[in-house]
Amino acid sequence: AVVTGATWALAGAREAIVARVERCAGVVLRPRAGENIVSGESNRWSRKRFSIRRLLRSDRFGQARLGFNECGLDLPDGFDDDASAVFATSSNLRTPVHSDPQDGLLAHVSGRKRLLVIHPADSDRDPRGLANVLKLRATSGSSDDVANSPALAGLRCFRLLLREGDALFLPKRWLHDVESLTPTISLALRFPLSS
């Protein structure tokens, strides 16, 4: 479910969060020339640390994954400190189809993101179909291009637009593709793994 508007707990602190994140520097996943996808599987982390302010003001520059402590932010109680992160992403970049190993809450702080979320009962039903969906990880282009792919025919897919102040609960194993339509800052709050 998406919680919209400035109703989540961090809404009043949005400007302070943006200011703190923009003052940070971090290593960045950079897209390959001519592509708009950033993924730990297909891109390398920069050795150099870049200004997050610079990243957010550049088109297709890259994506930084920062720890809450790095940005001077307190992680709310009940979330996994090692798995939770602050993501700062340049405009017009996609994090291609992937799933997370933990349930999480994506609290969107600034900008606009488009998500395509795929129900696991459908994606897991047929191993060959899943293999075709996972090939979309290497597909450059917009989330619209991914959503219109024949690989998704017959699957329950949900298309969402996250705006500043929105939060989305993403269960583990739900495949999702994320496109930053503008420069974005999001808090990926991961719940601890069950034992």
Side-chain angles (χ1 to χ4, degrees), residues 116-157:
L116 173 71
V117 181
I118 305 166
H119 196 291
D122 292 343
S123 60
D124 294 354
R125 181 178 52 223
D126 171 26
R128 281 189 299 225
L130 177 59
N132 286 332
V133 170
L134 294 178
K135 287 179 184 174
L136 295 173
R137 289 178 170 174
T139 303
S140 197
S142 72
S143 59
D144 289 335
D145 297 332
V146 173
N148 293 321
S149 168
L152 300 180
L155 302 182
R156 278 179 286 178
C157 297

Side-chain angles (χ1 to χ4, degrees), residues 29 60 97 189 195:
L29 276 176
R60 294 188 183 192
V97 177
L189 303 161
S195 47

